[in-house]
Amino acid sequence: MTTKIFDVVIIGGGQAALSAGYYLRRAGVDFIILDNQDQAGGAWNHTWPSLRLFSPGMYSSLPGTLFSTKKTDTYPHRDEVVSYLKRYETHYQLPVYRPHHIKTVVRDTAHNCLKVSDGKYSWLTRTIISATGNWSHPVIPALPGAQTFQGEQCHSAHYQGSELYQGKTVLVVGGGNSGAQIFAELDEVATATWVTREPPKFLADDVDGRVLFERATARINSQAGSATTDLPVGGIGDIVMVPPVRAARERGVLQAKPMFSHFTVNGVVWQDGTEQAVDAVIWCTGFQPELQHLASLDIVEADGKVLVQDGQSVKEPRVWCFGYGDWASPGSATLIGAGRSARDNIPKLVAFLKTGV
């Protein structure tokens, strides 16, 4: 009996996985996608309902199919993104199997390949694309007193809308787009304070996420030696003036307060020693890549990332990382960036399958 060995197994079913699948299908590669979600849409299924993309739909597309054809399109909501990803997966008939919660990837020396396992089923493959993203590994800073604070603490990964916070005193911590959007929403129903370690960076009203992506890409290319001068300012974390954030600015409330020093049982203490009672803290403080399934390969560095070159692991060339952000490929944690990363790196993966180098 012949043992089935795939060319590629993609771990993850979100935008990075679908983009990679699009180009692998075009290249005629034998692959499958193993997703741990119950339905299409990846991490977008778990974001808060009012979340908006910070680029118009026309500029937030995966390869081959436009999100929208309207040049004056608004910033799409979470549900519109989920619907788009579902349509995309179906349209291209991508071989997605779910739910499979992949636990390990190990070297199979008997077959000279990798073995992917969810604890019940196993798949052999010549290469893997790890596209598990960051959502399931939220980061909350360790602050004195946090363990004794009796109020609610919630990361943006688990925030589900303003209804639960009506009439409450809430701190929203984080100076990026998530922090700005959640604060703008909560300010309308609660006593909300926006808290940031550094002053937030606001973009002009006519600058959106596609411009940020190009700026971030230019800076990364410069660091790689392709440019030395005229570096553009602005990065993916800078705040786009989507309608809810712009409305908060018009109300005169879009102002951040410097970070508090520590928690008390019932609230926080600000840098000047003032105490404030607080019902809840919403942490919009980012994520780390979810790479626990790669632990057995000994390629995850102390910073929680994999050392890569063009998405390919330096220490284990049969492993590729897509969609985790700039360290894997410029802007690859965004819709447009996921597509460009796959476009640039899948041909290199296909060449590796042919030559082994």
Side-chain angles (χ1 to χ4, degrees), residues 97-174:
Y97 298 89
R98 58 172 61 95
H100 289 288
H101 298 260
I102 301 306
K103 299 183 183 301
T104 60
V105 178
V106 299
R107 298 176 180 90
D108 187 310
T109 55
H111 298 94
N112 190 28
C113 66
L114 299 173
K115 182 167 73 172
V116 177
S117 176
D118 66 358
K120 182 177 181 181
Y121 301 102
S122 296
W123 299 263
L124 297 180
T125 180
R126 296 174 61 196
T127 62
I128 69 158
I129 292 175
S130 184
T132 50
N134 305 315
W135 173 83
S136 57
H137 197 176
V139 173
I140 295 179
L143 275 140
Q147 298 299 321
T148 60
F149 174 58
Q150 294 183 354
E152 177 187 348
Q153 294 188 64
C154 173
H155 193 277
S156 60
H158 306 117
Y159 172 75
Q160 287 299 310
S162 62
E163 293 79 7
L164 298 176
Y165 301 94
Q166 290 190 16
K168 295 184 177 182
T169 299
V170 185
L171 304 185
V172 180
V173 182

Side-chain angles (χ1 to χ4, degrees), residues 11-12 16 130-137 287-291 322-324:
I11 304 171
S130 184
T132 50
N134 305 315
W135 173 83
S136 57
H137 197 176
F287 303 81
Q288 283 282 359
E290 179 48 65
L291 297 172
F322 281 25
Y324 295 98

